[in-house]
Amino acid sequence: MGCSYDKPLSPREATEQLRKIGASDPDLIWTVHAKDRMRDRGLLTGDVLHVLKHGFVYENGEAATQPGCFKDKMECTTPKFSGKNRSYHRDPLDR
């Protein structure tokens, strides 16, 4: 699976796409890498789903190491962190 984007999505487009992913949470597949990162950061699946469903992307994505891929940062306040802002990077291959 590769990427074929010549530029990042706009923040609005990235927000809409990530929210669609969050709305289909039963269909999400959690990779070993994602689970490791969540464990390292003390996050639960519910934290990530909350951000995907309610967060916003405020800036254009940055180029990823794979050509034609971009990483987006979605930000959101989660209940677990008592109002602290959390940000998450989306796997560029999920575009």
Side-chain angles (χ1 to χ4, degrees), residues 7-76:
K7 63 180 183 175
L9 296 175
S10 71
R12 180 187 58 77
E13 292 169 321
T15 296
E16 289 173 359
Q17 191 172 72
L18 286 165
R19 287 188 174 182
K20 285 179 187 174
I21 291 169
S24 65
D25 63 71
D27 298 328
L28 287 176
I29 297 171
W30 301 96
T31 64
V32 172
H33 173 74
K35 290 176 184 178
D36 288 345
R37 297 294 296 212
M38 289 166 55
R39 185 180 55 250
D40 292 347
R41 295 174 177 166
L43 300 171
L44 302 173
T45 303
D47 299 322
V48 177
L49 291 174
H50 181 86
V51 172
L52 286 172
K53 291 177 183 178
H54 304 287
F56 290 91
V57 175
Y58 293 106
E59 300 173 0
N60 286 337
E62 62 184 59
T65 55
Q66 291 228 311
C69 294
F70 296 88
K71 296 188 287 186
D72 298 300
K73 182 172 77 171
M74 183 171 243
E75 298 184 25
C76 183

